[in-house]
Amino acid sequence: MLSKPARWWRAAAAVAAGGLPCLAFPAPALWWLAYVALVPWMLLLRSAPTGRRAALEGWLGGAGFILAVHHWLLPSLHVFLLPLAALLGLLWIPWALLVRELLGGDGAGGRAGAALVLVPAAWLLSELARSWQGLGGPWGLLGASQWQVPPVLRLASVGGVWLVSLLVAAVNCAVVLLIVAPAARVPAVAGLTGCAVLTGVVWLWVPRPEVSGGLRVAVVQPGLVADGPDSADRRFAAGERLTRGLAGQHPDLVVWGESSVGADLTARPDLARRLAALSAEVGAPLLVNVDARRPPATETGTAGGAGGTGAAVGSSAPGIYKSAVLVGPEGPTGARYDKMRLVPFGEYIPARALLGWATSVGKAAGEDRVPGDSPVVMDLPGRPDVRLGPLVCFESAFPDMSRHLAREGAGLLIAQSATSSFQHSWAPAQHASLAALRAAESGRPMVHATLTGISAVYGPSGERLGSALPTSASTAALYEVPLARGTTLYVRFGDWPVGAALAVLAVYCAAAGVRSFRAGTPAPEPTAPRARTARG
């Protein structure tokens, strides 16, 4: 039985240990720390005197993880971040119970081997559950900390960020076994060797994307613009000025960041004419992002589904949209993508009738934006061999969205983003790093264009191309982007590591249920032979 001081110390240690992995993500970017960052938390959980205590410390550690990885949301959510972290922390309870169950002994028998498979699978289960858009999406997945490690990015091309998370969690589990279970050193070393061999085999044998041609892409980053009633016009003018400086450099495409245009182009034909003139002057189409209320006459929504050309048809719901719009020398081409997955609280409030009070304590959305209907693949004017797959803001965190665009023929992925609300935090660096993973998973280059930085461009293997544009920059930069052919295993087979993890957990739960049933069934009474009666 723990004393009261011991209970409090363990609770504080759980919160701190849960937050430790945040240092593996940008901006600290101590990627190597991820391979041992879970060890203190797991050592605490395995020593929990009861399952109830392990569940509590799993919950507290999960809340600490969410607070640490998302601490930059405090200016927007304020105190609301605390109950949100407490809610999401519940998702780590099954993992915590499994850690105590499988790592709490001496590792004898098959427990160590089972732990090396089941503990990482349970970790992935918690990541999968919180990846639902309504819970904030897949931001801060453990595997995402490895965005700058080339051999691990190759693993992402096989099983996405999910396979990387499994590998990192498995290494942490093996390290725990080496520390506390001398009887389990053989399976622990075998587990570490297996992770290394898998990474090496994938690095040596999985084909790299086949480069075929290239594209000259310019990213326009206007930089910070002071808030005010005319801030949207001043931001537009800054983007216009920087784009004009690209004349004579012969780009094939110019990309502006999220919310770079603050009015619907039908309602403001003067802006449409200025963009068309810019396109003619630089000799390339512009992909801008319109964040505005759509007038009733133009409520025509998204293009007709993935693989379409981007012709404006479909949704007619009134409201504010965030839309990637392609503009050529003759004006808007008709290619438009309306953002589908909106940021909870930032762009809409889930269950507004219940949680609308969040607008009074932070910078939550005063009005819900309208989501688009479907993904869009756009044809690039002047380059019939290239199609564009646009995403907006935190949609770059979702592996399934970029995978879908790659399957539908996108040769270049583009994420238009704006993190100016979090300019001096870890958010810009975290967001930019996600594009490396999406590029590696899909085998397609990806452009991450922002208003205020960090803007970055990645090749089809997830390698960075050129220099990133920091948050202090107000500039336009031209990148030589290699295009690639072929299909990665992840694009072909999807989230198979998730399915495998769920399958092994289901088998374990079924086997545990059978054992529990057998243990609770009373043994049959011995049957005595029938007595014979003697008759006189």
Side-chain angles (χ1 to χ4, degrees):
M1 190 71 177
L2 293 173
S3 64
K4 188 173 181 179
R7 290 198 297 268
W8 282 105
W9 276 112
R10 287 184 65 96
V15 175
L20 181 62
C22 79
L23 299 176
F25 295 90
L30 305 176
W31 61 267
W32 49 268
L33 181 64
Y35 294 94
V36 294
L38 300 181
V39 170
W41 191 7
M42 295 169 73
L43 291 174
L44 188 71
L45 293 172
R46 71 173 296 275
S47 66
T50 64
R52 183 176 179 178
R53 187 71 201 183
L56 173 64
E57 292 168 0
W59 171 50
L60 292 173
F65 178 83
I66 295 297
L67 284 172
V69 174
H70 297 83
H71 71 274
W72 43 268
L73 284 171
L74 278 169
S76 293
L77 295 183
H78 292 290
V79 69
F80 197 77
L81 183 59
L82 296 176
L84 182 63
L87 172 65
L88 295 178
L90 296 171
L91 299 175
W92 274 271
I93 289 178
W95 174 75
L97 293 173
L98 205 55
V99 168
R100 179 180 181 272
E101 173 69 21
L102 296 178
L103 296 177
D106 58 3
R111 291 169 63 87
L116 289 169
V117 175
L118 293 167
V119 170
W123 177 272
L124 198 65
L125 179 65
S126 67
E127 292 200 333
L128 177 66
R130 71 183 179 90
S131 294
W132 177 50
Q133 176 195 345
L135 293 179
W139 194 288
L141 302 183
L142 191 61
S145 65
Q146 306 302 296
W147 65 278
Q148 56 185 327
V149 185
V152 181
L153 286 175
R154 190 68 52 78
L155 278 175
S157 74
V158 174
V161 67
W162 311 111
L163 181 59
V164 182
S165 285
L166 278 175
L167 180 137
V168 175
V171 171
N172 277 271
C173 186
V175 171
V176 171
L177 287 171
L178 286 174
I179 293 173
V180 301
R185 285 176 180 168
V186 171
V189 171
L192 290 173
T193 304
C195 290
V197 169
L198 172 64
T199 305
V201 167
V202 168
W203 175 257
L204 293 174
W205 296 104
V206 171
R208 291 165 171 77
E210 182 182 351
V211 174
S212 175
L215 199 68
R216 292 169 63 84
V217 180
V219 174
V220 175
Q221 180 177 297
L224 280 174
V225 173
D227 291 336
D230 62 341
S231 59
D233 290 336
R234 286 186 284 114
R235 182 179 299 113
F236 185 96
E240 188 178 33
R241 173 179 52 82
L242 293 168
T243 302
R244 190 169 288 118
L246 295 168
Q249 298 187 47
H250 308 293
D252 295 303
L253 176 68
V254 178
V255 183
W256 288 18
E258 180 187 12
S259 305
S260 49
V261 180
D264 184 86
L265 294 179
T266 303
R268 289 284 304 273
D270 59 314
L271 296 183
R273 286 192 297 268
R274 288 164 64 180
L275 289 171
L278 267 181
S279 176
E281 186 173 349
V282 302
L286 315 178
L287 186 69
V288 300
N289 189 275
V290 178
D291 183 1
R293 188 176 304 279
R294 192 168 296 166
T298 63
E299 285 164 7
T300 49
T302 326
T309 60
V313 295
S315 172
S316 61
I320 302 174
Y321 289 79
K322 281 193 175 180
S323 306
V325 179
L326 195 62
V327 181
E330 304 300 322
T333 65
R336 183 181 64 233
Y337 165 66
D338 296 331
K339 183 178 183 181
M340 296 171 59
R341 295 183 182 174
L342 304 176
V343 180
F345 298 98
E347 294 170 338
Y348 80 102
I349 295 183
R352 182 176 285 272
L354 180 64
L355 301 176
W357 59 269
T359 58
S360 63
V361 296
K363 299 178 182 178
E367 177 183 349
D368 292 350
R369 282 173 169 77
V370 182
D373 294 323
S374 59
V376 173
V377 177
M378 300 176 177
D379 295 328
L380 179 61
R383 288 295 302 265
D385 59 323
V386 180
R387 306 184 77 197
L388 311 177
L391 299 167
V392 181
C393 195
F394 99 135
E395 289 182 330
S396 66
F398 293 86
D400 65 300
M401 296 195 74
S402 53
R403 174 177 176 259
H404 184 92
L405 291 171
R407 286 175 63 89
E408 295 298 330
L412 175 66
L413 302 175
I414 301 172
Q416 296 173 300
S417 176
T419 52
S420 53
S421 298
F422 315 104
Q423 190 72 355
H424 302 294
S425 71
W426 295 356
Q430 285 185 15
H431 201 176
S433 70
L434 296 174
L437 285 160
R438 303 293 86 84
E441 290 168 343
S442 63
R444 297 292 181 265
M446 187 161 186
V447 174
H448 179 79
T450 73
L451 290 179
T452 60
I454 297 172
S455 298
V457 181
Y458 299 92
S461 294
E463 73 280 14
R464 179 176 284 172
L465 302 175
S467 299
L469 304 183
T471 55
S472 59
S474 174
T475 186
L478 189 64
Y479 295 87
E480 298 285 348
V481 180
L483 302 175
R485 295 184 298 182
T487 303
T488 65
L489 293 176
Y490 176 70
V491 169
R492 187 176 303 169
F493 298 110
D495 301 328
W496 63 265
V498 173
L502 293 176
V504 298
L505 288 172
V507 170
Y508 172 77
C509 290
V514 169
R515 287 196 302 269
S516 177
F517 176 78
R518 288 178 176 174
T521 303
E525 303 231 358
T527 304
R530 293 182 62 183
R532 295 186 179 183
T533 56
R535 297 189 179 182

